[in-house]
Structure formats: C-alpha cells, structure tokens
Amino acid sequence: MSAAPVRVERDGRVAVVVIDNPPVNAGSAAVRSGLLEAVAAVTTDPALEAGVIIGAGGTFVSGSDIREFGQPLADPQLPAVLAAIAASPKPFVAALHGAALGGGFELALGCDARVAAMDAVVGLPEVTLGMIPGAGGTQHLPRLAGVAKAIEIACSGRRVKAAEARHLGLVDAVAEGDLRAAAVAHALALGGRKRPVSALPVPADAPEAVAAAEKAALKAGKGRPPVVAAIAAIKEAVTAPYGEALANERRVFQALRQSPEAAALRHLFFAEREAAKVPGLEGAAARPVERAGVVGAGTMGSGIAACFADAGIAVTLIDQDEDAVARGLARVKQGYDASVAAGRLDGAEAARRLARIRGAVDLAQLADADLVVEAIFEDMALKEAMFARLDAVAKPGAILATNTSYLDVDRIAAATKRPQDVLGLHFFSPAPVMRLLEVVRAAKTSPGALATALAVGRRLRKLCVVAKVGEGFIGNRLYAAYRRQCEFLVEEGALPEEVDAALESFGFAMGPFAVADMAGLDIAWRMRQRLAATRDPRERYCAIADRLCERGRLGRKTGAGWYRYAPGARRGEPDPEVRALIEAASAAAGIARRAIGPEEIRASALATLVREAERVLAEGVALRASDVDLVLVNGYGFPKHEGGPLFWAGRQDRARLDAVIAGLP
C-alpha cells in the first residue's frame, strides 16, 4: 500500500504539513483530500499555534494534476482547501522551493504568508493551457502585485523567480538557509495572527499602466478567449466584492477548462512529455558534452553557436575565411546587444556568453569538440566532403551532426568511418529563439549518440522531436506539401494575399507566401532543382515560384518575392507584376481561373497537411501522431489552440475531410 501523499510532522508548536506526491507533487484529488484533513487536524489541536505547508523532494507543488481537467473534477476541489485554510483561526505559511505553479501557487496565495527558497519559481500558467486560474489566483495576485503586473504575469504564464517575487510582494521572505526552519520561524513570528491576502486592498495602479498591460497581453495572446477572460477576472478584483469575483473566476475557469482550446493545449502539454520517450534508448548513457563546434558562420550557424553559449557550452565557430568568421561573430554580438537593449539580458551576462564563442578557420580547431554541428550550404556534395574532413579531425566518440533541412542523413553519415556517431540536428531559424529541434536518427546512429543529442537539446532548452531519415524529415516534408497545394490554389484562381489571409484567419502565425518571402524563395527553389531529375512527369507541378526566382524575386532580402517590399518594410504589398505572372502561368497550364473563397482555401490546405502527416506516420518517419503536431505547432506556426494538424483532424467530420483529401492533386 502506497504512503499517503500528505503527512503532518510536528516542529514544536508548529505543524509541518508535507506534500509528498512524487515526482512533482501535483495537486491531485488525493493531495487535496490530505490537505483538507491536515488543516482540520492543525485547527483542532490546542497544542499547535500555526501550520507550515511544504513539499517533499525537489519542489513545492508544480501545479494541479492536468489529467483531471478533461473530466469532472473530484471533490474536494482546491477552493474547498483554501476555504478551510482561511476559516482556520491559526495562520498557515507556505514554504516554497522548486516550482509553485498554477494550483500550487494558488495554494500558497491562500496561506497567510509565503517563504521562498532561493531556487523557487512561482507563476500562474493556466492561460497557456486555455483556462484562467480557478482558485483565487486572479483575485490574490493583483492584491499583492497590482492589476497591471497581475495581468502581465497571468496572461503570459511566465515563471517568476524568488528574488522578483519578493520584490513584487508575492512572497514575504526569501530564505538563504534551511527553508523549513525559516518557514517555521516565520509562522511563530506571526504570533497567531491571520494575514489572508483576500483582506488586502488592491493597490491603485495608474490607469495608463493597466491599459498598457492589457494591450500588451491581448497582442501577445492574439486576443484568445482565455487571455480576455483572465484580464476581465483580474480587473474584477477592483470592481467587485471579493466573494462575488471569486465565484465568477471559478465559473469561468470551469467553462474554459472544458473548451476545445483547452483540450488542444492539454494535448500539446502531454505530447511534449511523450516526445521525450524514445524507443531503443533504454539504458543508453549520454556522453558528456563540454565543448562544441559549429561549421558555417552564416545566419543559422552563428545562431546555433549562440544556443550553445546560452547553455554554458564553449563553442568554436568555423568558416572558410577570417571575414566570414568575423561576420558570424558580429551577428552573434548583435543578437546579444539587442537582448540587452530590450532588457531580456544584462550586459555582464551577454559578455559572458559571447566570451564562450571563439572563431577559427582551421577545422583542426575542432579536435577537442565533443559535438560538431555542420551548418553549411544545403548541397549534398559539399556536406559529404565536409563530413569526410570532420571525420579526420574529430576525436573518437565525438558526435557529428548535420543541420540539413532536407537531405539524406544516411548518405552524409556514409562519408565518414563513424556512421554510428552521425545524426541530424535540424534547428529552426532564428535558432536562439525557436524552441523546436528535430533530431534525425539515421540508420546507423547508435543509441548512445542519440541519447547524447537529446541530452544536449534539453540543455539548450529545446523541444526535441525525433524523426527518421526522409526527404524534409517531419516538418519540411509537411510544409512543402502544404506550400505546393497553396501554389496550386494560386494557379487555379486565388491570389497570394487571399491565401495568406484565409490561413492567418484560421490561426497560422503567417500565411505561406509571407513565410516564403521571409525565409527566401531560393531555399525551396534549390530543393526543387535537386529533385527535378527524379520527379514523376505525371505529377502536377506549379512553376510560378520558379518564375519569380528566375526574375531575382527571392523575397524580403531582394525587396520582392510573392509581394513587393518598401525599403526596410517587414510586411509586403500585393504586386501587379506578380498577378500578371500568375495569370500568364495559369493560361500556359491551360487552367481557367476561378474565384476561390477562404473556406475552400482553408479546407484544401489543411487536408493536404493531414494527408501528408498520415503518410509520414505510415512510413515511420515520425514516431507518433503527437510528434507531428508538436513539430507543426512549434516550428511552422500552426495554431496552438487547434492542437496540431492531426489533433485538429480528429475533431473534424472524417467523411467530409476524406472527401476533400480525395479531391487533392
């Protein structure tokens, strides 16, 4: 029989209520029931003056048990626990270490005081899961930090470190020594006095500060319902009586947690945990990686070098001449300077990170590297030659990784005498910002090499998704099919701006033609040229993008692509020249152009993604459907609130979806 998840230990006149629900002390029904019993025991024991609530292991309470949110919540629910703490005549102190998030932070806010360890982080991530806090978070947070700061914290879901939490008044003290002892001492210092957050007035924020916080939150959250609801609930802390606002918060929480958006976001939450489970790695040990190398100091290579430096890993950035290396290092410095200017990084830390990167032109400088990432031009012959050279200079056991977006990693590995140590690490641009990392397992990649790559990816704070070798792996293969279908729609009668608008209205961060212009049309053009010799002549092919490239219209960088760009502009304008080119291409292909509405555009593009995703799964390129969803959401702008293409497909009328798929080229 397993031990109870909550136990009470005595420390003189203070009861220490220990939550012990490994691995992260999630606030399950059993934990809530145990807390309710513990609060009652403390309340009725005349020998006790106060209570301290603390987590066993490495954390306080990481949050509620998210598995419960898709079904009716079991009693007792968290508000009942907090009501018991509030009703008890004895004060309770929350002792926070590790994570106190969501329901865990609401539990702490329901206590009379909070003492945090130096490593503690607090936050309310419910909005990022399609909900709002449901146990007083929207009412307690503004009473401590003000409405503007409460909006920022709750709507972003960010984690607030102990020092900032103390500055904002979210915790009463930060313990530098023994947390439990400090919390017990704090409880005794209260002298039996209750200090509920609910009794505090909401600090008066300047109206313009609240308006600015609201505007920023709505922009960052794209006006999604949970963001709107969280802002309204927080503002109610000022306009409504506490009890009424608390009841409204719970009602909205209950409605939102059962919404399609919350279900989609929970799917992605669990998909991330599932992605870390890779078959065949049982017992495989990751090799230590203290020094890395990056070959290619262009935009991608310099970005990858910054990723290593950010993670505390020394890195050597290599290119063929001193000027190229200098440009790469300058690009990294420019990125750090921008972060300092924006307040995301302090100058001293930026300098430390930059100091971890050294430039060189001689591959022999990589002799001590534990991991080398190649990020040169996307050409198979060049990559094969580079890997043969790397094989000659890299030490035994060093991992050799290619950042290729499309090419056959098995062929690249075959250029070395160590194919067991070769794999793909497909970073997304801009590498320091984009969280996704496709880890490509080649046919001969050893379990140890793959385990090392995944460990490094986690150290870089990337979301790692394992793929097998295949043209474009998971993401680029799906996106190439999606882009082709969008080009077919343009050839048939739609305009690029109409396709982009239809897909942005679905929730994509950008439409496919705006994305193509941003990335550069020459990247996909080179891929099409490479595949031209093996293309089935019966396969439909749209040459409009080729015609644009032949005219030097390569996107933003040349001032013209699918759109035209004024100097320095990030957003393009429709171009009559492109429209004329499109109409000529349609006529040359014998296609009578027709009006295509936004609904048909969305249906066609999404059905294409679903069809290709199902092929990728059937071929084993992706391990599981949820991996495909993670890649498209985190790397290609598929809307999070739809959960990814395959999750979305599972919620559609399958007969209708199949009918659209059947009509695709």
Side-chain angles (χ1 to χ4, degrees), residues 195-251:
R195 294 179 55 198
V197 175
S198 60
L200 298 175
V202 180
D205 272 354
E208 56 269 26
V210 174
E214 183 173 352
K215 182 180 179 181
L218 288 170
K219 181 180 179 182
K222 299 181 179 178
R224 298 301 308 164
V227 177
V228 174
I231 292 169
I234 289 167
K235 291 169 75 173
E236 253 199 344
V238 177
T239 60
Y242 174 76
E244 179 184 325
L246 197 66
N248 288 340
E249 175 200 71
R250 190 67 180 177
R251 176 180 52 79

Side-chain angles (χ1 to χ4, degrees), residues 52-133:
V52 165
I53 301 176
I54 194 169
T59 194
F60 179 65
V61 174
S62 64
S64 298
D65 189 338
I66 293 176
R67 291 171 296 185
E68 295 184 352
F69 287 151
Q71 54 198 359
L73 294 178
D75 289 327
Q77 296 181 32
L78 186 55
V81 176
L82 301 186
I85 291 172
S88 174
K90 298 175 182 179
F92 281 81
V93 174
L96 312 179
H97 70 298
L101 303 174
F105 189 33
E106 289 183 295
L107 172 62
L109 291 171
C111 292
D112 298 280
R114 288 146 296 284
V115 177
M118 301 281 285
D119 72 340
V121 292
V122 301
L124 296 171
E126 287 86 353
V127 167
T128 66
L129 291 169
M131 306 173 288
I132 67 170

Side-chain angles (χ1 to χ4, degrees), residues 568-580:
R570 296 175 61 83
R571 191 167 186 86
E573 297 292 333
D575 191 338
E577 181 182 333
V578 174
R579 182 166 187 162

Side-chain angles (χ1 to χ4, degrees), residues 344-433:
R344 294 188 297 269
L345 200 64
D346 69 60
E349 177 59 22
R352 283 191 291 272
R353 295 183 185 189
L354 191 60
R356 295 184 187 121
I357 306 174
R358 60 175 178 143
V361 296
D362 185 358
L363 285 181
Q365 295 295 312
L366 301 177
D368 62 347
D370 303 301
L371 168 68
V372 178
V373 180
E374 164 274 312
I376 64 173
F377 193 73
E378 192 79 343
D379 178 271
M380 178 59 81
L382 289 177
K383 289 184 186 289
E384 287 177 315
M386 177 56 68
F387 270 75
R389 294 175 62 195
L390 289 173
D391 188 32
V393 301
K395 67 183 182 181
I399 308 294
L400 304 183
T402 174
N403 182 55
T404 182
S405 302
Y406 290 97
L407 300 179
D408 186 341
V409 182
D410 288 331
R411 272 189 62 183
I412 294 171
T416 75
K417 297 182 177 66
R418 60 173 93 192
Q420 73 280 0
D421 291 333
V422 178
L423 44 74
L425 287 178
H426 180 212
F427 289 79
F428 288 73
S429 185
V433 174

Side-chain angles (χ1 to χ4, degrees), residues 412-647:
I412 294 171
T416 75
K417 297 182 177 66
R418 60 173 93 192
Q420 73 280 0
D421 291 333
V422 178
L423 44 74
L425 287 178
H426 180 212
F427 289 79
F428 288 73
S429 185
V433 174
M434 295 293 283
R435 188 165 165 248
L436 181 64
L437 177 62
E438 274 186 312
V439 181
V440 185
R441 185 178 200 167
K444 295 184 178 179
T445 302
S446 70
L450 184 59
T452 303
L454 292 170
V456 169
R458 288 190 292 272
R459 193 169 166 188
L460 300 186
R461 302 183 72 179
K462 299 296 185 185
L463 169 60
C464 299
V465 177
V466 173
K468 290 186 179 177
V469 174
E471 178 72 27
F473 317 124
I474 299 172
N476 275 341
R477 174 165 168 184
L478 264 69
Y479 200 82
Y482 163 80
R483 185 180 60 242
R484 280 196 304 272
Q485 182 57 32
C486 291
E487 290 171 1
F488 293 157
L489 290 168
V490 164
E491 192 175 44
E492 291 168 12
L495 294 172
E497 58 269 27
E498 293 171 339
V499 174
D500 281 355
L503 290 162
E504 286 171 12
S505 72
F506 174 73
F508 275 93
M510 295 174 69
F513 298 107
V515 169
D517 276 1
M518 179 181 69
L521 273 64
D522 48 325
I523 298 172
W525 189 30
R526 287 197 299 270
M527 183 266 290
R528 293 192 298 274
Q529 290 172 322
R530 177 172 54 80
L531 297 176
T534 57
R535 186 180 300 119
D536 186 338
R538 297 168 297 180
E539 178 183 307
R540 180 176 174 182
Y541 185 79
C542 176
I544 296 173
D546 294 348
R547 301 292 87 83
L548 292 172
C549 292
E550 289 162 4
R551 296 187 183 197
R553 301 181 65 108
L554 304 181
R556 278 190 204 171
K557 60 189 174 185
T558 59
W562 289 99
Y563 301 99
R564 57 183 167 82
Y565 296 83
R570 296 175 61 83
R571 191 167 186 86
E573 297 292 333
D575 191 338
E577 181 182 333
V578 174
R579 182 166 187 162
L581 186 153
I582 289 169
E583 290 172 348
S586 299
I591 295 172
R593 294 180 63 77
R594 62 185 178 87
I596 303 176
E599 194 169 310
E600 182 182 348
I601 290 169
R602 286 190 290 270
S604 174
L606 292 168
T608 299
L609 278 175
V610 172
R611 179 179 67 177
E612 202 65 25
E614 290 175 343
R615 289 172 176 172
V616 161
L617 276 176
E619 295 167 18
V621 174
L623 286 172
R624 50 183 79 87
S626 58
D627 285 356
V628 175
D629 288 338
L630 285 178
V631 169
L632 265 291
V633 166
N634 288 279
Y636 297 86
F638 193 97
K640 282 185 176 183
H641 63 268
E642 296 290 355
L646 290 176
F647 183 84

Side-chain angles (χ1 to χ4, degrees), residues 127-174:
V127 167
T128 66
L129 291 169
M131 306 173 288
I132 67 170
T138 66
Q139 301 308 301
H140 296 155
L141 191 60
R143 283 172 163 81
L144 294 173
V147 170
K149 183 56 70 172
I151 288 173
E152 183 267 315
I153 291 172
C155 292
S156 68
R158 74 177 176 92
R159 298 183 174 201
V160 180
K161 295 181 179 179
E164 184 186 0
R166 177 68 185 95
H167 173 72
L168 295 174
L170 305 182
V171 300
D172 299 277
V174 175

